[in-house]
Amino acid sequence: MNEILDKLDRENLKIASFGKRVVAYFVDSFILSLIVFIVLFERISAISDPQDIFAVFNENFVLGFIALQFCYHLIFTFLYGASLGKMLCKIAVIDEQSLDKPNFTQCVLRAGVRQLSDSAFMLGFAWALGNDLRKSWEDYLAKTLVIELA
């Protein structure tokens, strides 16, 4: 770990704060929820009985939402090195070896493990509180870091 910190120091890079990562998480969650709301607006607005809301949000919805989250994080991290929330917070994901954008395999791993972390009550994300590099489960498995851009 010290060699990674030394490498970051030589390149004048700083690990992103946990607070910025939390804000980015909530921004991304809001964006994804907004997309779902727009897609389902017609069905939601047609509901007359509040109990009918469960018919809109059935099992297929959950699988679709997981797929949407996976694709969102995969595509943005692969193309830009950051999701929209991370861009807003001026943080980015980098490969811990090359200190460049992660490759496609790393992005797939990060997006998949992030889904597991979400379903495990965010334990993987909370893991970042217990180490100097603030690495979550997805960072450990994909060998990535989240750094400050500004």
Side-chain angles (χ1 to χ4, degrees):
M1 178 170 43
N2 285 337
E3 77 180 49
I4 294 173
L5 288 171
D6 290 342
K7 185 192 268 190
L8 290 172
D9 193 43
R10 278 193 307 272
E11 297 296 324
N12 205 23
L13 297 173
K14 182 180 167 196
I15 297 293
S17 72
F18 188 76
K20 281 190 176 187
R21 290 186 73 171
V22 168
V23 170
Y25 176 87
F26 282 113
V27 168
D28 289 332
S29 294
F30 176 77
I31 290 168
L32 289 164
S33 297
L34 188 61
I35 291 169
V36 168
F37 179 76
I38 290 168
V39 168
L40 296 178
F41 178 75
E42 203 170 302
R43 289 181 66 191
I44 293 171
S45 62
I47 293 173
S48 58
D49 183 9
Q51 292 185 344
D52 291 342
I53 194 81
F54 295 111
V56 173
F57 299 109
N58 60 20
E59 300 155 6
N60 294 333
F61 166 78
V62 173
L63 293 175
F65 190 67
I66 289 170
L68 175 66
Q69 282 183 316
F70 177 83
C71 291
Y72 171 84
H73 289 286
L74 169 65
I75 291 167
F76 274 97
T77 304
F78 180 67
L79 292 178
Y80 306 108
S83 63
L84 293 173
K86 283 183 179 67
M87 287 180 205
L88 182 72
C89 292
K90 295 183 174 45
I91 60 177
V93 178
I94 60 168
D95 173 72
E96 69 181 33
Q97 294 302 316
S98 69
L99 303 182
D100 200 5
K101 281 192 315 186
N103 63 38
F104 187 75
T105 304
Q106 289 173 300
C107 294
V108 169
L109 266 172
R110 275 190 111 258
V113 174
R114 187 181 186 284
Q115 294 305 309
L116 294 173
S117 174
D118 277 0
S119 65
F121 307 105
M122 299 303 297
L123 288 177
F125 193 68
W127 203 266
L129 286 169
N131 60 80
D132 291 339
L133 295 174
R134 293 190 200 90
K135 291 179 83 164
S136 59
W137 289 351
E138 58 261 33
D139 294 317
Y140 277 108
L141 279 134
K143 295 183 177 14
T144 58
L145 300 167
V146 180
I147 60 160
E148 300 269 350
L149 293 176

